[in-house]
Structures are given as C-alpha cells and as structure tokens.
C-alpha cells in the first residue's frame, strides 16, 4: 500500500529526477498541482499529485513535449478532452516492468 502524502524528495525518487526539478514543475503547473504545506512548511503532495507528476514526466521527458505543450495537454485532459490512453497504459506497463525486474532480481539472489 502506498503513502497518502508525498514530500518533494519522495516524488523525485519515484520519478528518478532531482528534487529541484520537482519543485520547478510544481511551480510551473499550479493549476494541475496543488501541494499543501506540513508543519515545517515543506510541500506535501497527494497520490493524485504523484500521478500528475508521472504524466508530466512522461510527456516532457519521454515524449519530448515543452512544458507549455504538456500543460495544455494535461489541462485539456482534466476538462474532459481526454489524455491519450497510451500515456496511462505506458505508465502502468512501466510500473509492471519495474515489479517484474525486482522479482527477477530476487529470484536470482535466492539461488
């Protein structure tokens, strides 16, 4: 089971990117990402924010879209114009692949 809230470092680790990039994207996508602040003033993101970061990451890093293009695409999807199902499917397949690689490594280590 996953966490309910994620800090900048958690998001960065999940994406394989730097915390500064996560903060930068949080500032560049204010309509799509709405972090809260914890008692120390650190940004805290929800599971939905994490999923949005994954979509941003896919569109910008994998598909090579500009930040403006990714923002427009995601805003359109949020308003019912539909995000490519390919994005969602590829995210899920990537997660499954990671899990399978982990299982394979565990099997190799038990021999």
């Amino acid at each position: 089971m996953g966490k309910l809230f994620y800090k900048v470092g958690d998001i960065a680790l999940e994406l394989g990117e730097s915390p500064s990039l996560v903060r930068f994207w949080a500032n560049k996508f204010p309509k799509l990402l709405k972090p809260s602040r914890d008692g120390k003033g650190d940004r805290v993101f929800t599971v939905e924010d994490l999923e949005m970061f994954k979509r941003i990451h896919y569109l910008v890093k994998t598909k090579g879209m500009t930040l403006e293009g990714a923002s427009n695409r995601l805003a359109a999807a949020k308003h019912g114009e539909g995000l490519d199902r390919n994005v969602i499917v590829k995210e899920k397949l990537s997660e499954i692949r990671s899990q399978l690689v982990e299982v394979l490594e565990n099997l190799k280590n038990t021999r």
Side-chain angles (χ1 to χ4, degrees), residues 2-107:
K3 297 178 178 184
L4 295 178
F5 297 100
Y6 296 84
K7 292 191 174 194
V8 169
D10 299 326
I11 302 283
L13 188 62
E14 187 80 26
L15 298 176
E17 299 292 345
S18 68
S20 61
L21 180 65
V22 172
R23 285 188 289 274
F24 176 75
W25 282 353
N27 291 334
K28 286 292 184 180
F29 295 88
K31 293 180 181 175
L32 302 173
L33 299 165
K34 306 239 187 261
S36 301
R37 300 279 178 166
D38 66 7
K40 296 188 319 189
D42 296 333
R43 295 174 202 192
V44 180
F45 298 94
T46 64
V47 174
E48 291 79 17
D49 290 328
L50 173 61
E51 292 304 315
M52 185 58 68
F53 272 114
K54 288 180 179 180
R55 288 183 181 98
I56 292 167
H57 187 265
Y58 174 77
L59 292 172
V60 174
K61 296 291 186 166
T62 304
K63 296 296 269 184
M65 294 180 80
T66 64
L67 294 180
E68 183 179 356
S71 179
N72 292 340
R73 182 89 165 269
L74 292 166
K78 196 169 185 179
H79 290 91
E81 295 175 27
L83 177 62
D84 288 344
R85 293 271 314 145
N86 290 342
V87 171
I88 297 166
V89 170
K90 286 180 182 180
E91 286 176 1
K92 293 296 179 192
L93 288 173
S94 178
E95 290 173 21
I96 292 168
R97 183 182 187 284
S98 296
Q99 291 171 351
L100 289 172
V101 167
E102 186 177 330
V103 167
L104 179 62
E105 289 301 316
N106 288 336
L107 287 173

